[in-house]
Amino acid sequence: MGAQLRVYKRRIRSVTATKKITKAMEMIAASRIVKAQRQVAASTPYATELTRAVTAVATGSNTKHPLTTEADAPARAAVLLVTSDRGLAGGYSSNAIKAAERLTERLRGEGKEVDTYIVGRKGLSYYGFRERTVADSWTGFTDSPTYADAKRVAAPLIEAVSTETAEGGVDELHIVFTEFVSMMTQNPVEDRMLPLSLDKAAEETGTKGEILPLFDFEPSAEDVLDALLPRYVESRIYNALLQAAASEHAARRRAMKSATDNAGELIKSLSRLANAARQAEITQEISEIVGGASALADATAGSDK
């Protein structure tokens, strides 16, 4: 019984230490969500207005440009997958990876080759373990991205879109990330950034059904679109990285809270088992004492006779 009691006590100490760690991680994630939410709220209006500007330019001109014009027979697409650098966030990264897998399968079903770009160590490990080719990858900033990180990610994607398909370029640019809806809800989504769908852009910016003003372009509409292309891609990627970071913190807070609660329940269960083992040990000791006293009394009574 003594050995069993020591095992329970050792497990209780181990689970208690784990509970302290998960509780600390829960508090850290909760504190970072507020900052991430503010960054998302601050970046969204810029991305929306930039999309509105691109929509206005595309509507007011007949210029063929990779930003707004779909290829007659698209043959190659780029997919940017945003995951996390660290684990302990529940199904956050795996859900985004599954969404990217479904998108890739659909694009290949349409007869398109797919180049995969990955943000985050979790996605990179997934593709590396399966020995799949990755066009480019970035790590080390998923929990706190900056605009400089977004520019670094956007640079090869913009180059791929601006290059002819025959020379290794792509006709379409898609992004898969986790959209932050609320503290309890984060949804993996896939979005086609390029070519820009004017109907979808109008719906996102709230201009659907509105008559847009006419513009004169200096020096030309094509030059304006060339200038807007990198800004548009960078802003969309930056907003996606911020939403993914907020989603990662929320998912990690929820996962760590669940782990903390489970650790508390396990400690209660182990404490009950330890108490039962202690009571059994005490009962056994009392029985041995009573038995020994009874045997001694019997022996003493026999000697007196």
Side-chain angles (χ1 to χ4, degrees), residues 130-147:
R130 288 158 179 78
E131 298 182 350
R132 298 181 183 176
T133 303
V134 175
D136 207 342
S137 63
W138 304 265
T139 59
F141 56 82
T142 59
D143 59 343
S144 183
T146 64
Y147 195 80

Side-chain angles (χ1 to χ4, degrees), residues 190-267:
E190 61 94 358
D191 184 28
R192 192 184 77 175
M193 287 194 293
L194 296 176
L196 177 66
S197 172
L198 297 182
D199 290 338
K200 185 176 181 181
E203 185 176 345
E204 290 178 355
T205 57
T207 58
K208 190 171 184 178
E210 292 184 9
I211 299 176
L212 297 176
L214 297 176
F215 292 92
D216 289 329
F217 304 107
E218 292 291 344
S220 67
E222 185 175 359
D223 291 333
V224 173
L225 288 172
D226 285 339
L228 287 175
L229 174 61
R231 303 290 179 269
Y232 170 76
V233 175
E234 289 166 5
S235 67
R236 293 296 296 269
I237 290 177
Y238 181 51
N239 185 261
L241 291 176
L242 292 177
Q243 294 221 35
S247 299
E248 178 184 346
H249 294 314
R252 182 167 292 112
R253 186 201 68 83
R254 190 167 62 251
M256 291 300 98
K257 185 180 186 306
S258 178
T260 301
D261 294 342
N262 291 339
E265 292 298 323
L266 183 57
I267 289 172

